[in-house]
Amino acid sequence: MVTTSADKHIPRIEHKVNPISYELSKDGITSSGLKFNEFEDKSLEEKEKKTINPKSVANVFIQEIIKFSKTGAKGTVDQPKGLMESDPQRLVQMLKSLCEDVKKLLMSESHCLSIASPVVVVGDIHGNIEDLLTIENTLSISKLIPTSKYLYLGDYVDRGKWSVECAVYLLSLKVLSPQNIHLLRGNHEVRELQEFFTFKEECTAKYGPQNRVYHLLNDVFDCLSVSAVVDDTIFCCHGGIPSSVHTIREIQAIPKPLRDPSAVECLPAHELLWNDPSTQESYEATIELVG
């Protein structure tokens, strides 16, 4: 077995899979009837009693997003609407409270999370709110995955039309169930890429040029971890194994919050977000093209 102790090399990586998610009703219960405080580890109950409070900001956000998506209030791909865009002041006030809570949780976590199986590993969401609200129900009905633990590998925003709603939904889940919801950073949780793609434009179009939503969410993204290890064996990240570091301890030494995970400012984090696996043939073709 490959271990993750500081004097060992990074174990094998688990790459991205199809998106999954949850669907909650008004009382903070999943579509399968599982309350968020009813986990396999009953010792978590006292820590997470607030998850059954339907009036908590996180639960209200989840209820609003489900209603927003199901009732058609989200508009269409050609004419998307925003969550609570008719009352942006209330949205910002709620979001500020949510972000303060989730930042405290994320700052207490290592840049390399340690997770025990079973856990569902989830790839890119990219603003696809329908996928995010569908898969958990499918898994619950089919009983394919007997777990309430999920590891998301990043890229929650950009490309899709409802990046704000996807990000807020996932952050709400994290606050409701911090021991079971694990969120990693992707390369699209970085301001420079968002300005080139669609997230900043989406925030401005939905909530105005002040960009308070954009800044609040990015301040949270700066606190996201960049990797995880499942069962001391499977190494997970958004991109690929870095060449600039060789131990888990070096990854854990990456500072938080990290505003700019660029190759200049923090090469290990940049590689963890950007290093895509490729075949030898693909690598050689790329070298020939750029060389």
Side-chain angles (χ1 to χ4, degrees):
M1 173 182 291
V2 181
T3 66
T4 61
S5 60
D7 59 346
K8 300 292 183 181
H9 290 281
I10 295 172
R12 66 186 177 88
I13 187 170
E14 180 81 357
H15 291 300
K16 295 170 278 187
V17 295
N18 292 330
I20 62 174
S21 123
Y22 302 80
E23 183 174 348
L24 283 95
S25 65
K26 292 184 179 180
D27 57 358
I29 301 176
T30 65
S31 56
S32 60
L34 172 69
K35 290 184 179 179
F36 270 111
N37 69 327
E38 292 179 352
F39 303 127
E40 295 85 353
D41 184 356
K42 297 299 182 180
S43 66
L44 297 177
E45 290 184 3
E46 289 301 315
K47 296 180 181 179
E48 303 188 353
K49 277 186 176 180
K50 63 182 177 180
T51 64
I52 62 175
N53 176 11
K55 295 183 179 180
S56 70
V57 170
N59 255 328
V60 170
F61 263 133
I62 287 176
Q63 295 160 26
E64 291 289 336
I65 291 170
I66 291 172
K67 182 172 65 175
F68 169 81
S69 181
K70 285 190 171 182
T71 61
K74 67 183 179 65
T76 65
V77 172
D78 293 328
Q79 294 182 309
K81 302 292 184 181
L83 177 71
M84 300 167 59
E85 68 176 15
S86 62
D87 193 359
Q89 185 174 354
R90 177 172 175 249
L91 176 101
V92 169
Q93 183 180 15
M94 291 175 58
L95 185 58
K96 184 177 180 180
S97 175
L98 177 74
C99 290
E100 288 175 355
D101 287 343
V102 77
K103 279 195 293 186
K104 291 176 184 177
L105 292 170
L106 297 175
M107 288 297 292
S108 70
E109 296 179 341
S110 164
H111 258 305
C112 188
L113 307 176
S114 179
I115 304 172
S117 64
V119 58
V120 177
V121 182
V122 188
D124 298 10
I125 302 297
H126 278 310
N128 190 333
I129 192 64
E130 292 183 354
D131 277 2
L132 189 56
L133 295 177
T134 297
I135 305 296
E136 186 272 340
N137 190 46
T138 302
L139 292 175
S140 298
I141 292 173
S142 63
K143 307 298 183 184
L144 291 175
I145 309 295
T147 183
S148 57
K149 286 190 291 187
Y150 292 82
L151 170 63
Y152 293 85
L153 300 183
D155 275 14
Y156 313 118
V157 303
D158 281 333
R159 295 199 173 103
K161 302 296 184 179
W162 295 280
S163 293
V164 171
E165 291 76 16
C166 288
V168 172
Y169 189 83
L170 288 169
L171 297 181
S172 297
L173 289 180
K174 178 64 178 177
V175 169
L176 291 175
S177 185
Q179 302 298 323
N180 285 341
I181 304 300
H182 305 284
L183 304 174
L184 299 186
R185 193 175 193 173
N187 57 344
H188 282 264
E189 280 71 63
V190 178
R191 293 168 184 79
E192 182 178 3
L193 205 60
Q194 294 163 4
E195 293 180 3
F196 180 76
F197 279 85
T198 62
F199 183 55
K200 187 173 184 179
E201 180 183 351
E202 175 187 330
C203 293
T204 302
K206 290 179 178 179
Y207 305 110
Q210 296 87 357
N211 281 328
R212 294 184 67 187
V213 171
Y214 175 79
H215 293 306
L216 283 169
L217 289 174
N218 270 295
D219 285 347
V220 174
F221 296 160
D222 292 344
C223 303
L224 290 169
S225 299
V226 293
S227 65
V229 173
V230 178
D231 290 343
D232 290 335
T233 303
I234 304 172
F235 182 77
C236 307
C237 64
H238 180 77
I241 297 175
S243 60
S244 57
V245 296
H246 304 285
T247 65
I248 296 300
R249 180 176 293 173
E250 290 173 289
I251 295 176
Q252 292 172 333
I254 295 172
K256 275 191 178 187
L258 182 62
R259 181 180 175 88
D260 182 20
S262 65
V264 174
E265 295 298 324
C266 187
L267 181 57
H270 179 79
E271 291 180 319
L272 285 159
L273 301 187
W274 281 95
N275 281 5
D276 290 334
S278 64
T279 63
Q280 182 68 23
E281 292 78 9
S282 175
Y283 173 77
E284 292 174 352
T286 302
I287 293 300
E288 182 177 350
L289 180 65
V290 301

